[in-house]
Amino acid sequence: MSTAVLSPDFLWGFATASYQIEGAPHQDGRGPSIWDTFCKIPGKIADGSSGDVACDSYNKSADDIALLKETGAKAYRFSLSWSRVIPLGGREDPVNEKGLGFYVKFVDDLLAAGITPLVTLFHWDLPDNLDKRYGGLLNKKEFVADYTNYARVVFKAMGPKVKHWITFNEPWCSSILGYSTGLFAPGHTSDRSKSKVGDSSREPWIVGHNLLLAHGSAVKVYRDEFKSKDGGEIGITLNGDWVYPWDAEDPKDVEACERKLEFSISWFADPVYFGHYPASMVSQLGDRLPTWTEEEKALVKGSNDFYGMNHYTANYIKHRTGTPEPEDYLGNLESLYESKKGEIIGPDTQSFWLKPNPLGFRKLMKWISDRYGKPKIYVTENGTSLKGENDLPMEKILEDDFRLKYYQDYTQAMADAVSKDGVDCRGYMAWSLLDNFEWAEGYETRFGVTYVDYTGGQKRYPKKSAKEIHKCFDALIKKA
């Protein structure tokens, strides 16, 4: 029997992202994002699809709110499409009032339904024009200025209605998948069989630095111009997997575990909390890792009111010997699913990278809490795909016991982190409310608690997990 340990005002609900659910790429003046462009390149998306229709949430926002109410959710994390708000993206470019108005009305509708909005300003869909105009995320001066302007436009439009702001979702993915492996838009990589442009040894570190500066700049604007009258809070969302040594007896594998966390999480969190990059990254990357000016350091250090935590899985870590490759981004190590003794991280899912390991969630929450001085944490994404789910008949898809068990196990692990490890966790957003466009995997992978019939007018059918997840929180949240 679960013990109620979470605070009475604990926020739980679901998360989505604009390009993954909205569709309506040209409606009401939206401009293209780098993902609209990337999806048109043959071979980039597993099933050759795009987010052109997705869940059609731009036209079905009332359906999404009805679903949220049905689940009992207290909160909803969603992202804004920058190119819907400012189609050309830049600070001198016109604001699209219809696009901005859509989001303002959506926030009003959520509040009217008793649901707290958590708004992500950037979930990977950079206006394509900014990529073409000046190189997008690679251009420090222009990108930081344009993003700051966009953030200010949104803060002003929303005012006190939104109390929880997220600047960037998973900058690691924008940097590494966008500019090292080339798996995500804009697809830069040193591998010339995949892209004509890119330098995997340098570009991701430049992009990461610029994202941190844009984050710090937007936070400064919010704190200086809006926070005192609007009363909200602002932070960044970082992704990270837990780590176990491949050989628990080998101190070099144990050491490599810490390095893996530093290369994935601390790359962004150390500058935000301490004002510098982790020593392990400085040591390996040398002059390829940008240096901090005093002004930049002052902008970024202390720029989180909360820590946004996206988490799904864990890995076994095996150290590597010798000099790391110039394009290495892990920290000179291997990330594996099986230990030296043959233990596996967890059962298979549809996503090759995701194997459920709830204990890893608790351990990572404690690691983050210990390293960064017990910050307030919102779990901004957590969830699973289900092996072969897309190939099942609909009635079987709706009985998603595997996903429900994932949520039961992971929410209990979170509660243990709070009650046994002293972690300050204030919210949990399950990924995702809806089956949606799963980036390079297209529509073959489903993460939703709601089945979306992509060939039947995007009709929504709640799965078992949608109907039962509230029980996890009913048991874990203290009564007021």
Side-chain angles (χ1 to χ4, degrees), residues 235-239 304 306-310 376-380:
I236 194 167
T237 275
L238 306 177
N239 55 300
N304 252 6
F306 62 84
Y307 182 107
M309 179 182 182
N310 284 6
K376 180 195 300 186
I377 294 173
Y378 289 96
V379 178
T380 41

Side-chain angles (χ1 to χ4, degrees), residues 223-238:
R223 288 176 175 171
D224 290 354
E225 301 173 27
F226 299 94
K227 191 177 172 83
S228 62
K229 64 179 193 288
D230 293 346
E233 57 182 355
I234 188 165
I236 194 167
T237 275
L238 306 177

Side-chain angles (χ1 to χ4, degrees), residues 241-472:
D241 307 327
W242 182 243
V243 287
Y244 298 97
W246 179 76
D247 178 358
E249 308 299 312
D250 186 340
K252 287 187 175 168
D253 283 356
V254 175
E255 191 185 313
C257 282
E258 193 75 1
R259 205 161 58 245
K260 168 70 165 63
L261 291 170
E262 289 176 346
F263 266 72
S264 52
I265 295 171
S266 306
W267 173 13
F268 299 100
D270 275 18
V272 165
Y273 289 95
F274 308 138
H276 57 73
Y277 287 122
S280 58
M281 293 185 73
V282 176
S283 166
Q284 179 174 317
L285 299 170
D287 70 354
R288 290 182 286 137
L289 193 65
T291 51
W292 295 92
T293 66
E294 286 307 314
E295 190 185 12
E296 289 176 351
K297 201 180 287 187
L299 188 68
V300 174
K301 186 180 178 184
S303 58
N304 252 6
D305 294 335
F306 62 84
Y307 182 107
M309 179 182 182
N310 284 6
H311 174 78
Y312 291 87
T313 190
N315 294 109
Y316 290 109
I317 303 301
K318 186 180 185 183
H319 76 278
R320 278 195 167 136
T321 50
T323 309
E325 297 290 327
E327 57 271 15
D328 174 59
Y329 56 82
L330 291 174
N332 206 21
L333 52 89
E334 289 178 80
S335 188
L336 305 167
Y337 305 111
E338 193 173 312
S339 74
K340 184 181 181 183
K341 290 179 178 172
E343 305 149 306
I344 57 162
I345 279 291
D348 286 344
T349 66
Q350 185 61 27
S351 312
F352 73 89
W353 53 270
L354 201 171
K355 324 250 180 223
N357 184 287
L359 179 62
F361 186 28
R362 176 182 168 187
K363 286 179 178 288
L364 184 59
M365 291 189 90
K366 183 179 187 315
W367 185 89
I368 290 166
S369 184
D370 289 350
R371 187 176 179 109
Y372 298 115
K374 291 205 171 184
K376 180 195 300 186
I377 294 173
Y378 289 96
V379 178
T380 41
E381 284 180 30
N382 180 239
T384 189
S385 58
L386 207 144
K387 194 158 183 65
E389 185 177 24
N390 197 44
D391 303 323
L392 297 171
M394 191 175 87
E395 59 272 18
K396 286 270 198 305
I397 290 180
L398 298 181
E399 292 293 316
D400 62 340
D401 292 294
F402 182 88
R403 181 174 289 108
L404 181 58
K405 182 167 182 0
Y406 180 99
Y407 285 132
Q408 289 164 343
D409 293 347
Y410 270 75
T411 53
Q412 185 58 58
M414 172 181 66
D416 288 344
V418 170
S419 63
K420 297 173 182 174
D421 305 326
V423 172
D424 182 10
C425 185
R426 306 290 185 91
Y428 175 99
M429 304 298 127
W431 185 272
S432 179
L433 177 65
L434 304 161
D435 289 337
N436 58 49
F437 177 71
E438 188 48 37
W439 307 109
E441 293 175 50
Y443 294 100
E444 292 173 0
T445 305
R446 294 175 179 266
F447 268 88
V449 298
T450 306
Y451 173 77
V452 176
D453 185 355
Y454 298 124
T455 57
Q458 279 56 39
K459 194 161 165 39
R460 287 102 160 101
Y461 300 88
K463 302 175 192 176
K464 189 176 188 175
S465 58
K467 296 171 180 175
E468 305 258 328
I469 191 170
H470 74 91
K471 292 178 181 174
C472 300

